[in-house]
Amino acid sequence: MISSLSTVLSPVLAVEIPYWGQTSLRVLGGLVAILLPAGGLVYVYLFKMMSFMQSRLGPMEAGPYGSLQLLAEVGKFLQKEDIVPAKADRLVFLGAPFVVLISTFLLLLAVPFGPDAWFVDLDTGVYFAMAVSSVSVIGILMAGWGSSSKYSLLGGIRAAGQLVAYELPMILAVLGVVIQAGTLNMNEIVFAQANGEIFGFGGIGNPYILTQFVGFAVFLIAIQAELTQPPFDMPVAESELVAGYMTEYSGLRFLLFFIGEFATAGVFSAIAAVLFLGGWYVPFLEPEHNLYNVLGPLVLMAKIFGVAGLIFWFRFTYPRFREDQLQRLAWKFLIPIALVNIVITGVLKVVF
Amino acid sequence: MISLIAQITTGDDLLVAQNIFWWFFALVTVLAGIKVVTTDNIVHAALYLVIVLAGVAVQFVFLGSEFAAVTQVLVYIGAIVVLLLFGIMLTRGSLGDDQLVDTERRGMGALVALLLFGLMAFSLVDGFEDVVLPEDTRNLIEVEVPIDTDIDDDEFIRTQRGSDTAAIGDTIFESYIVPFEAVSVLLLAALIGAVVIARKE
């Protein structure tokens, strides 16, 4: 099995990259693929779009048009003291942000950036993504419990209840795509969309948002809830729980939670883009073309920003749900809709 | 995941790395397993259980069965341990050691564990004594994949490469469809039963 990166780089560098070199390149690529979208999302949406929607300018001082504000924020958090509460369960408290981050990094593994530009070509791509996304719940519960604070504990329990509830509609929404593509492999799902035809017209492929728009809507709502962002931010509701499971965290570890939230937003947007918008594929260019190994990541990045734009638009627009409304939405509304979507997709798959 | 394993098993010197990691993960799993039963803190026990289950998932990866590994993570870590932690934190949120965890029925527990270990070890050794995993676990399972001749060569290779995930799907819905449906109905009955008991008004 030839590795992705050596396939991409060998013609350029004319050398066979050793195993350790490939692994280091993968780690480096992973860091870039996590931090670049996360930073971009924070600046474009959290700093600027939110400010404009609230009739203000947002950060303007650091760098041209406030573009270096993010670095200033990171510098600020790094300088702050990393406080551990006296009665906290030390190891659990210290480890929690890393468990959340590990979940995000593992999630990235399944995302393809081009026909040969992937981290690991997983047969079980989508399934793997759904599985590792559920690991972050353990990190949040660790943070909530280890802090030894009532706000943290309540926030952690609320977060766990919410994440477990919204994992189901998320998985069920994805199933429609899997049935239609006939594979779990994310790269093959992209190929299935690129080679698809709409009533015999194959020019722009067949992005699954056209047939799976119900799944796309359910998936977007579910990832919004998975990110514990408004309107699903009961776990970190500042008016009643200070900051929920993050209350006792400061300095670097708070920064890790913060990066984790926006990196997860980026990776989930990437997964939504791959499943419903055709991933790295652009219309009118053959999916086998070698250009995609360079163009693919850029296309995917654009699609990530498109999907994330929707997520953050909802975030800045809607007021917070009450806890019972939030659970009712998941169990009584989204899950039945997703199930009906699966049944209809299955029937149509057999008929056509 | 499987592609990583295939890579590891191609060169002789890289097999060393695989062995080192196998021993590392095996030791971590066993040590965490011991900590699960010896720690006095019930939340710590649940968190050590996460390490044990993750270690088992890693062993599945080493065996080249990606699907089983992912299922292990999704079902045991993502669902069961989360519910376990959730239940513990809802009912008793106390930090520190919990005296109730350490019971007097240690001897009985050890006996049952020993018997179970003996039974499973015997059946595994008896059943798989002479089985040796092939060098490349990717081709462990032969699958017939429908060949679509309309597509280019590159795509052709993509769909032809059999995967154990597809094989598992085919076996469940062809050979084992009756047990699968029976288990589904059983789980549904358990679910409805739990709701009925919990909603007694």
Side-chain angles (χ1 to χ4, degrees):
Chain A
M1 184 76 210
I2 308 156
S3 157
S4 61
L5 280 160
S6 62
T7 332
V8 177
L9 291 179
S10 284
V12 184
L13 302 175
V15 281
E16 186 70 29
I17 304 169
Y19 183 70
W20 61 267
Q22 289 177 21
T23 311
S24 331
L25 276 174
R26 280 206 177 96
V27 172
L28 202 68
L31 282 174
V32 171
I34 281 278
L35 293 178
L36 208 62
L41 292 179
V42 171
Y43 175 68
V44 174
Y45 294 122
L46 191 69
F47 286 169
K48 286 300 170 189
M49 189 169 102
M50 185 181 179
S51 303
F52 294 160
M53 287 172 78
Q54 296 167 347
S55 295
R56 57 192 175 92
L57 285 172
M60 292 295 283
E61 297 297 328
Y65 214 62
S67 53
L68 297 177
Q69 180 66 27
L70 201 62
L71 293 178
E73 297 276 347
V74 170
K76 181 190 77 178
F77 276 117
L78 287 179
Q79 288 173 43
K80 283 189 172 179
E81 188 186 354
D82 186 15
I83 301 164
V84 181
K87 285 193 172 173
D89 194 327
R90 208 180 155 80
L91 272 182
V92 176
F93 180 83
L94 296 181
F98 292 100
V99 174
V100 175
L101 264 194
I102 284 172
S103 163
T104 307
F105 274 89
L106 284 176
L107 207 52
L108 182 79
L109 277 188
V111 179
F113 293 89
D116 298 305
W118 30 255
F119 289 102
V120 186
D121 193 20
L122 287 164
D123 269 337
T124 49
V126 182
Y127 192 49
F128 173 83
M130 296 299 120
V132 293
S133 78
S134 63
V135 173
S136 70
V137 186
I138 288 176
I140 288 171
L141 278 174
M142 280 167 73
W145 187 81
S147 300
S148 176
S149 142
K150 59 188 173 209
Y151 298 126
S152 301
L153 186 65
L154 279 173
I157 287 175
R158 275 187 186 179
Q162 174 175 327
L163 265 56
V164 169
Y166 280 89
E167 222 153 75
L168 277 170
M170 187 166 79
I171 295 177
L172 293 176
V174 163
L175 268 183
V177 171
V178 172
I179 291 171
Q180 214 183 335
T183 174
L184 285 165
N185 186 317
M186 303 254 283
N187 218 5
E188 280 172 27
I189 288 177
V190 175
F191 272 99
Q193 292 177 72
N195 292 322
E197 288 175 344
I198 310 166
F199 298 118
F201 172 65
I204 61 164
N206 181 19
Y208 287 150
I209 188 173
L210 298 176
T211 47
Q212 294 291 330
F213 50 90
V214 177
F216 184 64
V218 173
F219 190 75
L220 270 196
I221 296 172
I223 58 181
Q224 187 101 18
E226 288 281 313
L227 294 166
T228 64
Q229 283 190 346
F232 301 96
D233 65 336
M234 262 331 252
V236 289
E238 72 279 353
S239 52
E240 41 197 284
L241 291 182
V242 191
Y245 54 87
M246 291 189 281
T247 305
E248 302 293 334
Y249 283 90
S250 59
L252 177 66
R253 278 164 223 281
F254 183 83
L255 182 68
L256 288 181
F257 270 122
F258 189 80
I259 293 174
E261 184 183 338
F262 285 91
T264 315
V267 180
F268 268 130
S269 305
I271 290 173
V274 167
L275 294 180
F276 296 99
L277 301 178
W280 42 261
Y281 173 73
V282 274
F284 306 112
L285 186 61
E286 282 292 301
E288 278 82 15
H289 205 288
N290 265 336
L291 196 61
Y292 272 118
N293 287 320
V294 182
L295 192 65
L298 301 175
V299 172
L300 189 66
M301 189 70 130
K303 287 180 180 175
I304 288 174
F305 270 78
V307 176
L310 279 176
I311 295 175
F312 283 96
W313 188 4
F314 293 134
R315 173 184 174 136
F316 305 140
T317 311
Y318 285 100
R320 183 179 299 146
F321 276 116
R322 227 169 43 218
E323 186 69 23
D324 61 320
Q325 294 169 331
L326 190 147
Q327 293 289 345
R328 194 181 302 143
L329 178 71
W331 293 102
K332 292 192 171 169
F333 186 68
L334 292 181
I335 292 179
I337 281 188
L339 284 173
V340 170
N341 183 41
I342 291 173
V343 171
I344 293 174
T345 312
V347 168
L348 290 179
K349 174 90 177 176
V350 173
V351 170
F352 291 108
Chain B
M1 226 181 274
I2 287 203
S3 54
L4 277 182
I5 292 297
Q7 237 163 26
I8 289 171
T9 47
T10 42
D12 280 339
D13 48 347
L14 285 171
L15 267 172
V16 176
Q18 196 187 11
N19 277 312
I20 290 171
F21 279 109
W22 188 89
W23 277 105
F24 173 73
F25 285 114
L27 279 176
V28 167
T29 310
V30 169
L31 286 179
I34 292 170
K35 288 296 275 185
V36 171
V37 288
T38 52
T39 180
D40 280 339
N41 190 324
I42 193 163
V43 173
H44 283 184
L47 292 175
Y48 280 121
L49 192 61
V50 173
I51 300 177
V52 174
L53 296 169
V56 174
V58 171
Q59 299 300 339
F60 279 129
V61 175
F62 276 119
L63 288 171
S65 69
E66 191 181 318
F67 189 80
V70 177
T71 310
Q72 174 85 11
V73 172
L74 182 72
V75 173
Y76 285 95
I77 299 179
I80 289 180
V81 174
V82 167
L83 283 182
L84 214 69
L85 280 169
F86 196 61
I88 293 167
M89 286 176 195
L90 268 184
T91 48
R92 47 173 134 180
S94 63
L95 283 158
D97 293 351
D98 199 336
Q99 296 309 315
L100 287 168
V101 177
D102 200 17
T103 64
E104 292 111 50
R105 290 184 287 274
R106 275 189 168 183
M108 201 59 177
L111 188 70
V112 170
L114 202 68
L115 280 175
L116 210 65
F117 176 75
L119 185 72
M120 286 170 74
F122 173 75
S123 54
L124 278 177
V125 170
D126 194 49
F128 299 96
E129 205 177 355
D130 303 320
V131 177
V132 178
L133 273 181
E135 281 270 299
D136 188 355
T137 41
R138 181 177 276 273
N139 303 321
L140 196 58
I141 300 160
E142 297 271 327
V143 208
E144 273 187 40
V145 181
I147 292 162
D148 202 339
T149 40
D150 290 342
I151 347 175
D152 297 356
D153 283 351
D154 201 352
E155 177 65 12
F156 180 67
I157 295 161
R158 268 171 214 286
T159 40
Q160 236 206 345
R161 197 193 60 210
S163 67
D164 67 344
T165 314
I168 288 170
D170 285 344
T171 11
I172 286 180
F173 290 105
E174 278 167 14
S175 323
Y176 297 101
I177 182 75
V178 175
F180 176 77
E181 289 294 331
V183 168
S184 311
V185 171
L186 185 72
L187 285 175
L188 187 66
L191 198 71
I192 294 171
V195 171
V196 167
I197 291 170
R199 288 191 56 149
K200 208 173 357 181
E201 269 144 23

